[in-house]
Structures are given as C-alpha cells and as structure tokens.
Amino acid sequence: MADRNTITIPALADVHVHLREPGFSYKETIRTGSMAAAAGGYTCVCPMPNLNPVPDSPENLEKELEIIRRDAVIDVRPYASITKGRKGQEVVDVAALKGSAVAFSDDGSGVQDEKIMLRAMELIAQNDCILAAHCEDNSLLDGGYIHKGRYAAAHGHRGICSESEWGQIERDVKLAGQVGCAYHVCHISTKESVDIIRRAKDRGVNVTCETGPHYLLLCEDDLREEGRFKMNPPLRSREDRDALIKGLQDGTIDMIATDHAPHSTEEKSKGLEGSAMGITGLETAFPVLYTGLVRTGIISLDRLVELMSTAPRKRFRLPDAALDKAVFDIGTPFRIDSANFRSMGRSTPFEGWTVYGRCLETIHDGNTIYSYTQI
C-alpha cells in the first residue's frame, strides 16, 4: 500500500489462545474466535486444551479438529494436554498425539509433581515436540486472585505471590536442561521469571517464553474493582512490568501471545474477587502494543513483528506465512470499543483506550479473509 499511514507486515501468529470449543461454546466458538483473530491481523492461532473433552487422546483431539476443519476461517493448530484430563497424574501418549498437536500443555494448571513433569519432558524430547508450561505452584496460592502487592494490601484482597510462578519455572528449566526437552514458558509476569529464563538461556537450555500485552502495558497500579482486570497470572508490580520490557529489549522474551480467554458477561461482572480469570485479546493486541511500545520508542516495529509473527512461527513450526499479510492503519487514532468485537468475549482492560494500528485487511493463503468496514 502506498499510503504512508498504512503498513503491510507478515500476518500475526498467536501460540496461546482459548477458543473454548468443544465444551464451553457459550464463551467462544472456533468460528467466532478465529474471526476475532482475523480481525486482529492473525492467520494462525494455537488453542489451549482446557476443553471438554480434554484433548488427551487422538479420539478427543479429533473432536476439536472436526470443528476446526468445519468452522475456522484461519489456520488453527490445537494443543494436546500434557497429562490425562489435565489432572497432573498420568502423562498422555505423546507419540499418538504428536502428529495432530502443535505442542503439549496443561494450560490453566501447573504440573505439580516434579516426577510427572520429568517423565513428560522425557517423552516429549524423545518425540521431538514442545512442552508449553503454565507455571503455577498450587501450594503457594492461598486463595489469591490478584497480585500479592500494594493494591491487594490497600484494598483487602487476597494476593497471589510471585513465587507461585517463578518457583515452577526454576524447577522446570533445571529438568529441561537435564533432559534436553524443548521447553516453552507461558505468560510470564514476574521479574524473577525473566531472570531465571535469561540465565537458563545463557546455560544453553532449550527454553523460550512468552508474555502478554497486558503484562507489558499495565501493572497493579492500574487495577480497578472490575472483572476486566482479572486474569491469571495477575497484573504484577511496576517493577515486574519494567523487567518484562527489558526482557523484550534484550531478547530474553521470545514472543508475545495474547492468552485470549473469553468468558460470558455474567462471569466477568462480579468484581475482582468473584469474576472468572481471563480477558479477550486478539482484536486489541497489535494496536495496544504498537501504540504503547513502538510509538513510544521502547522497541522497533521490526522487533514487534518478530515477537508477534516470526518468532512464534519459527519456534512452534507453524506454517510459512509467505502469502499471509496484515495491513494496519498506523496514522489514524481510534478508540477501543468491545461492543464491536467479533469475539463473544467483551472483557478487556483496554476498553476506551485511544490507540493506533487498526487492522484494515488480513490475507491468508493469498485470499482476503478480513476487511475493515466502518461499523
């Protein structure tokens, strides 16, 4: 495009989304979620396995794949679970699932038993796959639901300590180094997590990680008593946010994933304590990151493209995006209004933000699958 206000870049890829189907189609469906992705400039997404049935066998995964083949408007590459039923007790048949699963994760649950995690890593390494870990030590949660920090103390909320995240990462990078497993850490949110991963990379551990737009642009100081600010991991301290940004700049953090996690309006209307954890993100990710990180000079546009397109495709062996492009308007400000989302989820902490980078067109396999029209 010749207009200096627009850019054409490789289409985006997200290795961490929740499309809620099968099992929870009142929150989102493969169709609505993939349409939301297309509207955000994405042509490939990887949905997590907290579904019903859990994709822990070829038969259960096939139920999800049937819906994907029927309804997806972009490339959707699902995860299989690490353990049967995501219960953390018995590792799945990795060899039987690897042909249809992009990687293995129990996302939504940390694998609590070190022996189970070690066995999973051994099998996943033997089968040349990737283990993507949701790191959360249940013994340290203490009923918390936001970060254990200044805001929680000032407003009488139960907090989630940072160690519940970084403690399992520390355990896992040690195991991954021993086994040689390709290990990926989901949605990191703490300064300690960045440091542990940085040091593991220096030791030669085959580890990558992601963080989310909300952890880079928000912190506990931005919290309000509304469900749209509740997610897991929670928004951490300003110091944590600054460490994540440094991790983007020095290459410790490999990619940005939205952790798009839609819920019903009712589920998100019960304040910080009572609401379900999770926010929508596919339709806001590029605009908020371009506005908050690129226009402010924190990172370059090329680095943002690497984080949101090139790096996830390379690490997770996603399809080559040579024919997949996204066109964004970076010259015209617009206001984020969840009423216009294609996703069934409407809960976003970025509601009302004025941003740049509206997606105008998304091209997949040479075909236009999304084109912006004024609503």
Side-chain angles (χ1 to χ4, degrees):
M1 288 212 168
D3 188 341
R4 67 179 183 177
N5 286 332
T6 65
I7 55 170
T8 301
I9 63 173
L12 309 180
D14 193 336
V15 300
H16 191 144
V17 302
H18 300 268
L19 300 186
R20 304 302 193 195
E21 202 174 24
F24 306 95
S25 56
Y26 71 94
K27 300 174 186 278
E28 186 81 288
T29 66
I30 299 290
R31 179 159 185 80
T32 60
S34 64
M35 289 174 64
Y42 292 88
T43 59
C44 187
V45 298
C46 304
M48 286 295 180
N50 49 347
L51 302 168
N52 185 19
V54 174
D56 57 3
S57 67
E59 296 75 20
N60 285 347
L61 181 55
E62 179 58 26
K63 291 179 172 64
E64 183 180 1
L65 289 168
E66 286 177 1
I67 303 171
I68 290 168
R69 289 191 289 267
R70 184 188 71 209
D71 292 344
V73 301
I74 63 169
D75 197 0
V76 176
R77 301 293 177 107
Y79 282 85
S81 60
I82 298 170
T83 64
K84 293 183 179 180
R86 294 177 48 253
K87 295 179 180 178
Q89 297 171 359
E90 185 179 355
V91 181
V92 299
D93 186 341
V94 174
L97 285 159
K98 69 175 183 178
S100 300
V102 69
F104 293 80
S105 181
D106 271 5
D107 186 62
S109 305
V111 176
Q112 304 302 307
D113 189 320
E114 182 172 337
K115 292 181 180 177
I116 295 292
M117 181 57 94
L118 178 60
R119 181 58 180 153
M121 286 188 176
E122 290 171 342
L123 290 171
I124 286 169
Q126 290 168 15
N127 285 276
D128 190 27
C129 300
I130 296 173
L131 188 151
H134 172 116
C135 291
E136 185 173 39
D137 185 338
N138 292 347
S139 71
L140 299 176
L141 296 181
D142 296 327
Y145 47 87
I146 64 170
H147 176 59
K148 189 175 184 179
R150 291 186 296 269
Y151 188 95
H155 295 82
H157 291 295
R158 294 190 299 278
I160 300 173
C161 70
S162 295
E163 187 179 355
S164 64
E165 173 181 307
W166 64 255
Q168 277 201 353
I169 297 175
E170 191 169 54
R171 177 200 72 181
D172 287 357
V173 295
K174 179 188 71 174
L175 298 177
Q178 293 171 1
V179 174
C181 177
Y183 175 65
H184 178 80
V185 192
C186 297
H187 48 46
I188 67 169
S189 67
T190 76
K191 59 183 184 291
E192 294 91 351
S193 300
V194 177
D195 186 55
I196 290 166
I197 293 166
R198 182 183 289 119
R199 289 187 279 110
K201 288 186 171 189
D202 289 343
R203 297 195 306 272
V205 178
N206 184 1
V207 56
T208 53
C209 67
E210 70 192 46
T211 193
H214 37 292
Y215 305 120
L216 294 164
L217 300 171
L218 298 165
C219 66
E220 64 174 340
D221 299 337
D222 300 298
L223 284 171
R224 300 183 193 176
E225 295 293 313
E226 301 173 35
R228 65 191 179 95
F229 289 90
K230 186 178 183 182
M231 70 288 294
N232 189 26
L235 297 177
R236 302 286 188 183
S237 70
R238 184 179 298 271
E239 294 76 21
D240 290 310
R241 185 194 65 187
D242 291 347
L244 293 170
I245 290 173
K246 179 70 184 308
L248 286 189
Q249 294 171 327
D250 70 14
T252 300
I253 296 175
D254 302 272
M255 62 196 76
I256 298 174
T258 64
D259 194 6
H260 175 82
H263 294 286
S264 69
T265 300
E266 180 183 0
E267 288 170 321
K268 293 298 290 183
S269 66
K270 301 174 182 178
L272 285 177
E273 182 175 0
S275 293
M277 287 179 165
I279 57 172
T280 57
L282 286 166
E283 293 168 85
T284 58
F286 186 86
V288 298
L289 291 166
Y290 177 80
T291 304
L293 299 181
V294 177
R295 283 177 61 91
T296 56
I298 292 172
I299 61 172
S300 68
L301 176 60
D302 285 347
R303 176 64 174 145
L304 185 61
V305 171
E306 180 183 20
L307 289 160
M308 299 186 74
S309 179
T310 313
R313 289 180 188 276
K314 182 178 180 181
R315 175 61 161 173
F316 283 79
R317 304 168 189 168
L318 301 175
D320 180 20
L323 296 177
D324 288 12
K325 305 292 181 183
V327 181
F328 293 94
D329 178 355
I330 58 170
T332 308
F334 72 99
R335 183 177 173 273
I336 292 175
D337 181 355
S338 61
N340 297 330
F341 285 177
R342 275 71 179 172
S343 171
M344 291 167 63
R346 297 287 189 266
S347 185
T348 170
F350 302 117
E351 184 77 52
W353 281 33
T354 297
V355 293
Y356 294 79
R358 185 195 297 276
C359 185
L360 299 180
E361 187 177 17
T362 304
I363 300 164
H364 180 41
D365 289 336
N367 300 311
T368 298
I369 58 168
Y370 170 78
S371 182
Y372 172 70
T373 54
Q374 186 69 44
I375 297 174

